[in-house]
Amino acid sequence: MEVENQTETKKKVVVVEDDTLLRDLLVKKLLRENFDAVGCVDAKAAFRQFDQEKPDVILLDLILPETDGFEILTQIKASQDLSHIPVLILTNHGQKEDVDRALKLGAQDFLVKANFTLSEIIERVQMVFEDQSIV
């Protein structure tokens, strides 16, 4: 019975991205791939969403209005309720310093938008769940 409930429950992905077109494309693609997905434009919307329903994974842009992705990542990893959630950074900034900082702050993966197709981004999200099932 417990296994059946797990297979029926869709994995929830929150996409924190201020680019409306990319956010909408990612959410639609995730929904088509049988995820429960929602998009947020900034930190306030993201944390409201995190409080309403804990996501299974977070796709997080670094450049956002008001609060940047590094600060959001820091707050996620400092939260007792959220720290276990895998965070994948999805950004246009691929400098080594940004990658190192994000990984040091607790990001599970770092994806440079220009280097990945939508399908490849979804594959990286799916890999998170495959990795968790091994543990």
Side-chain angles (χ1 to χ4, degrees):
M1 185 76 163
E2 195 172 309
V3 173
E4 287 176 16
N5 288 338
Q6 288 177 345
T7 57
E8 291 174 11
T9 304
K10 292 182 181 182
K11 298 292 186 181
K12 183 163 189 75
V13 180
V14 174
V15 179
V16 186
E17 169 63 61
D18 63 330
D19 180 303
T20 304
L21 177 63
L22 179 58
R23 184 180 62 247
D24 290 349
L25 286 171
L26 280 167
V27 168
K28 287 176 185 174
K29 179 79 170 161
L30 285 160
L31 291 170
R32 279 195 305 270
E33 296 295 328
N34 208 31
F35 288 98
D36 180 9
V38 64
C40 300
V41 70
D42 59 20
K44 288 178 187 172
F47 282 100
R48 273 195 309 269
Q49 185 63 44
F50 301 159
D51 286 342
Q52 288 175 6
E53 191 173 343
K54 301 296 184 267
D56 295 298
V57 70
I58 299 166
L59 276 173
L60 177 63
D61 190 8
L62 290 179
I63 307 303
L64 296 164
E66 297 178 30
T67 306
D68 72 22
F70 289 119
E71 179 58 30
I72 294 170
L73 178 60
T74 300
Q75 291 177 32
I76 290 168
K77 294 304 176 181
S79 166
Q80 187 174 354
D81 292 336
L82 304 174
S83 63
H84 68 283
I85 300 170
V87 178
L88 282 65
I89 300 297
L90 181 63
T91 185
N92 282 322
H93 294 269
Q95 292 83 3
K96 183 177 179 354
E97 299 82 29
D98 291 335
V99 176
D100 291 346
R101 182 177 176 196
L103 295 176
K104 185 176 181 182
L105 289 172
Q108 182 162 333
D109 204 349
F110 193 102
L111 312 172
V112 177
K113 293 174 187 175
N115 297 343
F116 291 88
T117 66
L118 284 176
S119 294
E120 290 170 332
I121 294 168
I122 304 308
E123 285 175 20
R124 293 301 264 273
V125 171
Q126 290 169 330
M127 287 171 58
V128 169
F129 299 115
E130 291 168 10
D131 288 347
Q132 287 181 351
S133 65
I134 294 170
V135 175

